[in-house]
Amino acid sequence: MPRIWKSKFKDHDVTPRGAYLNRRQIMAGAAGLGLGSLAGPVLAAPTGLEPNPMKDIANYNNYYEFGTSKTDPAENAGGLTTAPWTVKIDGMVDKPGDYQLEDILAKAQIEERIYRMRCVEAWSMVIPWNGFTLASLLDRAGAQPGAKYVAFETVQRPEEMPGLRYPVLNWPYREGLRMDEAMHPLTILATGIYGEDIPNQNGAPIRLVVPWKYGFKGIKSIVRITVQNEEPFTSWNDANAQEYGFYSNVNPDVNHPRWSQATERVIGAGLFGSRRETDMFNGYGEEVASLYDGMDLSKNI
Ligand code: MTE
């Protein structure tokens, strides 16, 4: 069954796959930028972004609820029921409740954002997301001024998610952001890729994308968003706090205890692959570095 949000796209909100290059080049030429954002303001981003083909994006995944190998999610996530879908928004909000995804999307301004994704495992891709700002949803829910953090939870459905049988992480998968990170205009909730429904293995029907952080902060298949004052519990930090900090900003100068973060393997770069140097904040420093003024990023990993 097609998910209802698709009908919410206006013609100009979706770029057909074939038109991607053109539009991207036009935007790059006009603004010297490589970031797609049709409905919203154009935000600076790393240049030279060539989106990976869908076959890379949808077949090389991390979604441990469906298994820990890169191809497990594509093989096993097809059975996840993604409609109807409810997102509970609670905690320090004026309008807590169980929000139906179709209601969220009815009022959402869907934009296109071509972002680099840098996994903590030192590989990267470029993904053309469709989504809307997390800030717009938090505003709608009446997030209270002064609240410090936002916590997120992935759906937990053992009958549909075979990986939940294994205690790889403390399920459900949980993540969190500081409020200023959550409200930042680069932070989106994605519902599509290449103008199509987001594949289940990529986090259908709604997942977080925070392009300046390691990919694991981008929690998939979100069913709960809680605004709170305590730093949220996060699954990877719980699994190994030395290796996975709460912030997890992409940082080539701070190595993972078991490997270097100075470079990354570009997925889909051909037979011999290719590596590129990892950029501080994944290339989004101009937009986000000020969020961390005065913080020692070698300690606050
Ligand atoms: N969200 C959930 N619920 N479970 C996961 O295992 N993996 C994370 C993140 N979100 C993960 C998750 C990791 S490690 C990465 S790199 C990205 O999803 C991968 O996103 P992608 O498969 O869409 O490329």
Side-chain angles (χ1 to χ4, degrees):
M1 189 177 79
R3 279 191 291 279
I4 191 125
W5 65 265
K6 242 182 161 175
S7 63
K8 294 297 165 197
F9 276 122
K10 297 187 191 77
D11 285 350
H12 61 271
D13 285 335
V14 185
T15 308
R17 204 172 295 208
Y20 252 71
L21 197 59
N22 274 342
R23 191 191 55 74
R24 203 169 45 77
Q25 284 170 339
I26 290 162
M27 290 188 62
L33 305 171
L35 178 88
S37 169
L38 293 177
V42 175
L43 299 160
T47 52
L49 289 182
E50 186 66 49
N52 280 74
M54 195 62 157
K55 73 168 170 44
D56 295 343
I57 297 169
N59 289 289
Y60 190 91
N61 299 102
N62 280 329
Y63 198 163
Y64 278 13
E65 290 89 330
F66 294 102
T68 53
S69 94
K70 293 289 180 277
T71 49
D72 283 343
E75 273 167 37
N76 299 329
L80 181 69
T81 308
T82 56
W85 193 268
T86 308
V87 181
K88 179 184 281 303
I89 307 184
D90 62 358
M92 298 169 70
V93 291
D94 294 337
K95 287 173 267 177
D98 291 334
Y99 288 68
Q100 296 306 312
L101 183 59
E102 60 210 59
D103 295 336
I104 293 176
L105 293 171
K107 292 190 194 142
Q109 191 177 33
I110 302 290
E111 301 177 22
E112 187 180 80
R113 299 279 182 101
I114 301 172
Y115 282 159
R116 253 184 221 301
M117 190 177 71
R118 169 60 157 84
C119 179
V120 74
E121 297 164 339
W123 54 264
S124 69
M125 291 196 207
V126 177
I127 304 182
W129 304 103
N130 309 102
F132 56 94
T133 60
L134 173 60
S136 65
L137 182 61
L138 291 174
D139 282 343
R140 254 176 81 186
Q144 290 163 11
K148 295 199 177 98
Y149 294 97
V150 184
F152 305 85
E153 260 182 50
T154 292
V155 72
Q156 197 177 13
R157 224 177 268 155
E159 65 285 9
E160 294 184 348
M161 304 172 108
L164 288 175
R165 266 184 259 139
Y166 309 100
V168 191
L169 291 170
N170 184 340
W171 311 116
Y173 194 103
R174 278 161 286 176
E175 257 308 332
L177 294 173
R178 218 170 55 186
M179 183 56 86
D180 57 346
E181 299 173 329
M183 296 301 284
H184 194 280
L186 286 178
T187 303
I188 60 165
L189 290 168
T191 49
I193 297 176
Y194 273 120
E196 294 173 11
D197 283 353
I198 194 168
N200 285 4
Q201 57 268 36
N202 293 93
I206 183 165
R207 62 90 59 85
L208 182 68
V209 182
V210 193
W212 71 93
K213 293 180 178 283
Y214 290 120
F216 71 86
K217 299 293 290 183
I219 183 172
K220 297 179 170 181
S221 309
I222 296 168
V223 289
R224 186 171 180 191
I225 299 176
T226 307
V227 177
Q228 60 189 51
N229 269 339
E230 314 75 53
E231 185 177 293
F233 174 98
T234 70
S235 296
W236 278 107
N237 186 250
D238 172 69
N240 192 333
Q242 307 311 321
E243 301 190 351
Y244 311 105
F246 175 77
Y247 286 95
S248 286
N249 294 314
V250 174
N251 188 342
D253 301 328
V254 176
N255 289 331
H256 186 280
R258 291 182 279 132
W259 58 83
S260 165
Q261 294 292 26
T263 63
E264 64 207 46
R265 183 168 55 93
V266 180
I267 299 299
L271 192 55
F272 301 104
S274 86
R275 294 195 81 87
R276 65 186 296 279
E277 289 188 5
T278 291
D279 293 321
M280 185 68 200
F281 295 116
N282 206 22
Y284 301 91
E286 215 172 286
E287 288 79 16
V288 302
S290 63
L291 299 178
Y292 309 101
D293 277 351
M295 273 176 68
D296 183 346
L297 295 177
S298 66
K299 298 211 170 70
N300 293 282
I301 61 161

